Amino acid sequence: MSQADQENVHPVTPVYLGRYLLSHLREYGLLFALIAIMLFFQVMTDGTLLKSVNITNLFLQNSYIIIMALGMLIVIVAGHIDLSVGSVMGFIGAFSAVLIVQWELPVALAIPLCLALGALIGAAQGYWVAYWQIPSFIVTLAGMLIFRGASLWLLEGQSVGPFPKEFQALSTGFIPDFMSPGFRDGLLALFEVRRINAGALVVGVASALVVVWLNLRKRQQNVRYGIEEEPTGFFVARNMIVAGALLFVVFKLATFRGLPNVLVTMAVLTVIYAFITERTTIGRRIYAVGGNEKAAKLSGIKTERLTFLAFTNMGMLAALAGLIFAARLNTATPKAGFAVELDVIAAVFIGGASMAGGVGQIIGAVVGAFIMGVMNNGMSIMGIGIDYQQIIKGLVLLAAVVFDVYNKRKRG
Amino acid sequence: MTALLKMQGITKAFPGVKALDNVSLTVNTGEIHALVGENGAGKSTLMKVLSGIYPAGSYIGDIVYDGQPAKLAGIADSEKLGIIIIHQELALVPLLSIAENLFIGNEIAKAGVINWPEVYQRTEVLLKKVGLDEKPATSLGKIGVGKQQLVEIAKALAKDVRLLILDEPTAALQENDSQNLLQLLLELKLHGITSILISHKLNEIRQVADRITVLRDGATVSTLDCHAEHISEDQIVKDMVGRDLSQRYPDHQRQPTDVLMKVKNWNVWHPELSDRQVIREVSFTVRRGEVVGIAGLMGSGRTELAMSLFGKSYGRKISGDIAIGGKAVQCDSVDQAIAAGMAYCTEDRKEMGLILDETIVNNITLANLAAVAHKGVLNNAEEQKVAERFRRAMNIRTPNVFQRVLNLSGGNQQKVVLSKWLFADPQVLILDEPTRGIDVGAKFEIYAIMNELAREGRGVVMISSEMPELLGMCDRIYVMCEGQFVGELDAAEASQERIMSMIVKE
Ligand SMILES: Nc1ncnc2c1ncn2[C@@H]1O[C@H](COP(=O)(O)OP(=O)(O)OP(=O)(O)O)[C@@H](O)[C@H]1O
Ligand SMILES: [Mg+2]
């Protein structure tokens, strides 16, 4: 068979490049889609989208969706779905208001209590799904109703606030500049800007370097295994775009108020969950359960426990999202989290996860969430009504999934 | 003889693999044409090209059918021409009745309303044609695989088939069911139906084929005419593997020592039907360095026995004792069973053995992730090394170990399942139909691996419906019938007749 020669040498012809791009449309597609959407709104909003203030806002507005998308990706990869996250998020927000505003509990105590309650709620739902084999769609649909009602009951239909400063910092705080003033002054002169958070810039440059380094390492590994297909030019271009975008965003943030606390929380969580899903045994097992539960079970994997854990984790992340959301609004309202589950689920599917389970990546879910976020933000700035916004988001979701299925067919 | 079908210069490539390289195939009207070749030779792919599953344009080459060039854009096109394919995996709906299955997608209806009397009437005619004595309303899940296979053929007949393609139809069948099916093919031939038969069972091929085309590594090696000359199995094998393979079973000199696994009074009840006992008072032993066979008919409870032993993966109200290495072991879940040193290699690789969407690497390490991880963090380099090792040892045909298992040929998938369990390093390995769908060369390799395992002092239990293979490989054979062990034979005294007579006596 002419396998061996096909394997190692890739003649770099336009035909080959074209074919490569076609067969990896999905991975590039997501990145391109995000960039295209950003450019589109940048133009349509007369440059408002990429202003420092707005970029900061983008993160503040979408962090809770991204955080929940991390948990939702795992639930979906495991072959399930969680419709209750919006309600749970709202309920925990309400619960935190009761604890902090009404009972005046210290914030440092209230936060862990809320996270624990979230995990407990997730566990309670996961219990039915995992050990009773009740479809997650039904269990979490029930949960969605229950916790929507519970928030109303807890808040007695009222908004409760405001929160103390240190709680608000969860969402609206920024990381203070930790670099020396001398260094900062140097940067101010260099970039000719009025203010700059030097620490933020340093963190940004460092993380861009780390991302490039990780990609490089991955590529080297693939080359060693003889499975690297990406042409060098593509690799360089992709990394330049990613690193460039990262630097651009960080520069914008640094010249405003620095890195928002939520951004850091979100980034750290993303890294942790990407690591768990890609590099740990538990991650591998979750993919196995979603891919073929029977085979996973017969391989000695405790499928029930994994499902249970996936929901518990989702509950905890929904609680965290609830806290962040309440902190940003500075009040808990009974309407908080309404229909948010749809945005979260949409983000995960736009990011390439499969409804059947076993397929999907953390980074895809995050990019999917950003795509949703940028669309929400851009359309709001443009003054597009909520009616059209919904329609457009629905179409984008459908397009992404159709694109997936089409790609899969072509490959098969 | 006129040619019904001419496939010329067919080339089909997948990323990294040239599955077919300039293959030609000519099938004459009214003949049974056998297609043989090693796992991954390209047989299924060629048939998928022929039936339009890989549409015109996705491959290079020409198909001439009935003297006309055929450009098939999909299954619908090929079915219009009377080309019907029955896949390696059956495509039936277990919850529907036989009649419903027969006319799926081809319903007898007016304006969307199904004409049930006619459906039942035609079903009866078709069932008679294929010699299946079942009621049209019986739900498909209730009849055995052999009968389901006949339903598939009846379904093809319902569509006015002219060229019937059968991809390993007898792989999952019992001897007599296979014979039925082959007889049916001969009968259909009398009615002018041409067939293409893919099989790894060469004796069957010799029995019915008029001509044989041999594929190797995606290319046509030879076409043998069974009427012109006497074709021996060895000759076919030689063309398939490209060398002489005089022996079917590797030499073994086994010296079983002390008892390794002992099962006593094992009872299992059906998971749903609470009044049905599936396994009754089964006791047996496996010694170190021994290969033990379990013979029995389809449905005799062999798989159920194995799965219930393996961490109670099947059944309810399970009672009995398992001891491994002289110690009683608790086997309430699969991970406990694995920890106790057991492994069970399933007969149903797609449903229960593999994660089809995952890579070869991920499948091989799945049952023993701890061995390639440190504190729960996977060592990818180590994983890849392990997978490479098995790819070489088992001769898994793939461009690299990062291929998705979905893309492997049936036989190579089987080797991945086996690799997975070998990597789990068990003391007792239960193999359920380990050579199903595997070519002769690879069978030999698998037998050699079983010998190797025995030589290392492990115990091997082989469940198989192919009696020659049990007789050729086992030191002892237990005979199972209706959930009970009805006899035990030493290799020296065992024969096909004795096993059958034990089964029949019950
Ligand atoms: N969709 C696919 N993508 C990539 N490779 C494929 C795909 N389908 C088949 N192949 C490869 O093509 C080759 C031929 O496969 P095919 O299924 O035709 O073999 P086969 O002769 O039917 O083998 P078996 O006897 O094991 O069923 C194999 O190497 C297989 O891995
Ligand atoms: Mg095949």
Side-chain angles (χ1 to χ4, degrees):
Chain A
M1 216 175 291
S2 54
Q3 266 175 26
D5 35 335
Q6 285 204 343
E7 204 172 312
N8 296 321
V9 246
H10 289 305
V12 184
T13 61
V15 177
Y16 174 70
L17 290 182
R19 237 198 4 226
Y20 174 80
L21 199 57
L22 267 180
S23 62
H24 291 75
L25 256 184
R26 179 69 214 189
E27 292 92 331
Y28 289 107
L30 206 56
L31 192 62
F32 284 148
L34 181 59
I35 293 171
I37 288 174
M38 288 183 89
L39 291 180
F40 174 77
F41 283 113
Q42 173 72 356
V43 173
M44 295 306 283
T45 59
D46 297 325
T48 312
L49 186 88
L50 294 181
K51 282 216 173 95
S52 293
V53 198
N54 195 53
I55 290 189
T56 306
N57 251 335
L58 252 171
F59 286 116
L60 296 185
Q61 277 172 1
N62 292 298
S63 53
Y64 66 97
I65 302 228
I66 293 171
I67 286 172
M68 287 199 286
L70 301 175
M72 189 64 80
L73 177 98
I74 291 179
V75 168
I76 287 175
V77 163
H80 297 282
I81 193 122
D82 191 339
L83 299 174
S84 73
V85 293
S87 296
V88 173
M89 169 189 148
F91 175 70
I92 296 292
F95 183 65
S96 70
V98 171
L99 290 187
I100 296 170
V101 180
Q102 295 183 343
W103 296 1
E104 298 181 359
L105 241 55
V107 170
L109 179 65
I111 290 179
L113 275 179
C114 288
L115 293 180
L117 181 63
L120 194 71
I121 291 172
Q125 301 192 70
Y127 170 77
W128 298 111
V129 178
Y131 297 102
W132 286 68
Q133 271 95 41
I134 300 176
S136 55
F137 188 91
I138 296 170
V139 172
T140 59
L141 184 63
M144 173 175 154
L145 294 170
I146 292 169
F147 294 105
R148 174 75 35 225
S151 334
L152 269 169
W153 168 77
L154 207 56
L155 295 174
E156 293 166 338
Q158 306 291 312
S159 293
V160 176
F163 287 99
K165 267 269 170 311
E166 72 255 46
F167 185 73
Q168 289 178 41
L170 201 58
S171 184
T172 49
F174 290 83
I175 307 273
D177 195 351
F178 53 82
M179 296 304 286
S180 68
F183 183 63
R184 181 164 56 228
D185 291 341
L187 287 179
L188 283 177
L190 177 64
F191 293 116
E192 296 174 345
V193 285
R194 264 183 299 122
R195 66 171 178 179
I196 198 158
N197 184 323
L201 206 59
V202 170
V203 170
V205 172
S207 42
L209 286 176
V210 169
V211 167
V212 172
W213 178 72
L214 284 176
N215 283 342
L216 215 70
R217 221 180 57 155
K218 177 101 194 143
R219 184 176 170 86
Q220 274 174 351
Q221 201 179 42
N222 286 353
V223 167
R224 215 169 337 114
Y225 296 163
I227 54 167
E228 185 55 56
E229 293 188 313
E230 188 174 30
T232 316
F234 279 35
F235 176 78
V236 172
R238 180 166 61 93
N239 275 284
M240 268 166 47
I241 291 174
V242 170
L246 206 66
L247 288 175
F248 174 78
V249 166
V250 169
F251 182 75
K252 287 288 185 182
L253 292 174
T255 51
F256 185 53
R257 295 178 60 187
L259 299 177
N261 289 344
V262 278
L263 174 62
V264 177
T265 314
M266 204 180 76
V268 169
L269 285 175
T270 303
V271 170
I272 291 176
Y273 280 95
F275 183 80
I276 291 177
T277 51
E278 283 169 31
R279 291 297 308 278
T280 66
T281 51
I282 194 166
R284 177 69 58 76
R285 288 182 179 140
I286 290 171
Y287 281 88
V289 170
N292 184 346
E293 192 175 349
K294 279 190 209 154
K297 207 167 188 167
L298 274 180
S299 303
I301 292 174
K302 299 201 173 85
T303 55
E304 289 97 352
R305 186 191 289 176
L306 282 177
T307 306
F308 178 75
L309 286 178
F311 277 93
T312 309
N313 173 65
M314 180 76 252
M316 191 190 67
L317 288 177
L320 179 58
L323 294 177
I324 287 172
F325 191 76
R328 193 168 79 84
L329 289 191
N330 203 10
T331 51
T333 78
K335 277 205 112 37
F338 185 74
V340 164
E341 59 276 350
L342 302 180
D343 276 1
V344 175
I345 292 168
V348 171
F349 286 132
I350 288 177
S354 146
M355 187 78 202
V359 180
Q361 282 187 319
I362 286 286
I363 195 69
V366 171
V367 174
F370 268 118
I371 289 180
M372 294 292 281
V374 170
M375 288 198 312
N376 279 335
N377 180 277
M379 289 191 290
S380 298
I381 298 176
M382 284 170 66
I384 295 177
I386 192 80
D387 41 2
Y388 288 113
Q389 287 196 22
Q390 302 267 12
I391 294 173
I392 291 170
K393 281 196 292 184
L395 289 175
V396 169
L397 172 63
L398 186 65
V401 177
V402 167
F403 187 66
D404 254 2
V405 173
Y406 171 76
N407 256 328
K408 211 168 178 178
R409 278 221 195 127
K410 214 176 40 182
R411 251 190 313 166
Chain B
M1 272 288 155
T2 53
L4 174 67
L5 169 76
K6 266 201 173 118
M7 299 179 82
Q8 277 158 345
I10 306 284
T11 298
K12 165 91 189 160
F14 297 106
V17 194
K18 220 174 205 179
L20 297 174
D21 192 359
N22 198 12
V23 171
S24 298
L25 173 71
T26 306
V27 179
N28 292 333
T29 310
E31 74 173 349
I32 296 180
H33 195 107
L35 196 56
V36 300
E38 290 182 288
N39 296 129
K43 305 177 296 289
S44 298
T45 306
L46 187 64
M47 292 304 104
K48 285 181 186 165
V49 166
L50 174 55
S51 56
I53 294 170
Y54 298 136
S58 71
Y59 57 87
I60 307 171
D62 303 306
I63 301 178
V64 179
Y65 183 77
D66 223 0
Q68 305 284 327
K71 287 243 175 297
L72 306 169
I75 294 250
D77 280 3
S78 64
E79 289 195 345
K80 226 176 281 160
L81 295 176
I83 303 174
I84 310 276
I85 183 164
I86 298 179
H87 288 282
Q88 219 159 337
E89 290 77 30
L90 297 183
L92 297 168
V93 188
L95 287 177
L96 295 184
S97 70
I98 293 179
E100 283 165 317
N101 267 293
L102 279 185
F103 295 100
I104 264 179
N106 192 16
E107 293 84 0
I108 307 172
K110 257 214 184 82
V113 180
I114 293 179
N115 180 349
W116 285 109
E118 191 179 340
V119 167
Y120 280 113
Q121 199 189 340
R122 280 195 51 192
T123 301
E124 274 176 20
V125 174
L126 286 168
L127 290 185
K128 198 171 281 164
K129 251 192 213 164
V130 298
L132 182 59
D133 186 23
E134 288 285 345
K135 297 223 163 53
T138 309
S139 91
L140 191 90
K142 294 230 170 73
I143 64 178
V145 204
K147 291 181 173 174
Q148 292 186 7
Q149 193 67 262
L150 295 179
V151 173
E152 274 279 16
I153 294 181
K155 190 173 153 190
L157 294 180
K159 290 180 196 160
D160 294 324
V161 60
R162 288 181 60 202
L163 175 59
L164 182 63
I165 305 168
L166 300 121
D167 196 349
E168 299 192 35
T170 60
L173 296 194
Q174 201 72 46
E175 182 72 27
N176 48 349
D177 283 335
S178 302
Q179 281 308 320
N180 271 343
L181 190 118
L182 296 176
Q183 285 312 316
L184 178 61
L185 280 192
L186 291 172
E187 218 160 281
L188 293 179
K189 179 170 130 181
L190 292 180
H191 288 92
I193 293 175
T194 313
S195 15
I196 298 178
L197 172 67
I198 298 179
S199 176
H200 290 292
K201 299 185 179 172
L202 300 181
N203 56 337
E204 296 176 352
I205 285 186
R206 280 200 43 224
Q207 193 185 333
V208 297
D210 296 303
R211 290 193 311 147
I212 304 173
T213 292
V214 184
L215 290 187
R216 193 198 313 152
D217 288 348
T220 324
V221 179
S222 57
T223 297
L224 310 167
D225 190 334
C226 303
H227 301 300
E229 51 188 328
H230 177 78
I231 308 277
S232 71
E233 274 182 41
D234 287 341
Q235 210 169 332
I236 307 175
V237 171
K238 194 176 155 206
D239 281 352
M240 274 170 67
V241 299
R243 64 193 147 89
D244 271 315
L245 195 70
S246 48
Q247 261 180 311
R248 288 299 161 74
Y249 303 98
D251 290 325
H252 55 261
Q253 288 267 300
R254 285 196 284 257
Q255 249 103 39
T257 55
D258 52 327
V259 171
L260 176 60
M261 176 158 110
K262 189 170 186 139
V263 175
K264 248 179 88 183
N265 303 341
W266 198 253
N267 286 292
V268 180
W269 296 75
H270 195 278
E272 279 123 36
L273 312 172
S274 55
D275 57 339
R276 226 181 102 199
Q277 189 166 359
V278 186
I279 305 292
R280 208 181 286 269
E281 293 293 316
V282 166
S283 301
F284 68 94
T285 54
V286 182
R287 287 178 291 169
R288 286 185 199 281
E290 188 180 38
V291 177
V292 175
I294 303 182
L297 300 178
M298 203 72 63
S300 58
R302 295 167 302 170
T303 295
E304 289 77 359
L305 170 65
M307 284 185 65
S308 62
L309 288 170
F310 190 57
K312 307 199 170 161
S313 305
Y314 171 89
R316 280 186 332 125
K317 287 203 285 177
I318 298 171
S319 65
D321 303 309
I322 308 176
I324 292 179
K327 274 188 303 218
V329 290
Q330 191 71 21
C331 275
D332 291 336
S333 65
V334 174
D335 56 309
Q336 280 178 355
I338 294 175
M342 252 199 260
Y344 167 69
C345 191
T346 171
E347 62 173 341
D348 190 348
R349 55 178 175 252
K350 291 224 158 140
E351 279 287 308
M352 301 200 286
L354 294 166
I355 321 277
L356 290 172
D357 260 332
E358 292 274 9
T359 59
I360 297 175
V361 187
N362 290 7
N363 272 285
I364 289 182
T365 55
L366 190 63
N368 193 8
L369 280 178
V372 288
H374 181 68
K375 294 205 170 86
V377 178
L378 292 164
N379 179 345
N380 294 132
E382 184 61 32
E383 276 196 286
Q384 192 249 354
K385 245 188 255 159
V386 167
E388 272 309 329
R389 196 176 84 218
F390 280 105
R391 168 165 93 135
R392 237 168 284 130
M394 309 285 289
N395 196 10
I396 302 172
R397 294 220 183 176
T398 170
N400 58 57
V401 290
F402 299 95
Q403 280 282 325
R404 295 195 305 161
V405 169
L406 188 68
N407 293 340
L408 295 184
S409 78
N412 284 305
Q413 289 178 344
Q414 180 72 6
K415 292 184 192 171
V416 173
V417 183
L418 264 173
S419 304
K420 170 169 100 174
W421 288 114
L422 292 184
F423 182 57
D425 193 23
Q427 286 298 305
V428 183
L429 180 61
I430 307 175
L431 300 171
D432 199 348
E433 306 282 1
T435 61
R436 172 177 294 177
I438 283 203
D439 69 56
V440 273
K443 265 185 194 166
F444 191 87
E445 287 161 22
I446 285 173
Y447 298 145
I449 288 165
M450 290 167 64
N451 282 339
E452 178 64 18
L453 291 170
R455 210 184 48 74
E456 292 168 1
R458 299 171 210 261
V460 179
V461 178
M462 174 158 80
I463 298 173
S464 174
S465 299
E466 281 183 55
M467 272 193 235
E469 132 179 311
L470 286 175
L471 295 168
M473 281 301 296
C474 298
D475 300 302
R476 262 178 324 129
I477 299 173
Y478 289 99
V479 182
M480 193 165 187
C481 183
E482 292 179 3
Q484 282 174 298
F485 275 8
V486 295
E488 180 186 344
L489 294 166
D490 263 336
E493 51 177 1
S495 69
Q496 211 147 328
E497 292 71 36
R498 288 196 65 171
I499 295 176
M500 274 326 282
S501 76
M502 281 179 161
I503 292 174
V504 173
K505 228 184 278 162
E506 277 305 302

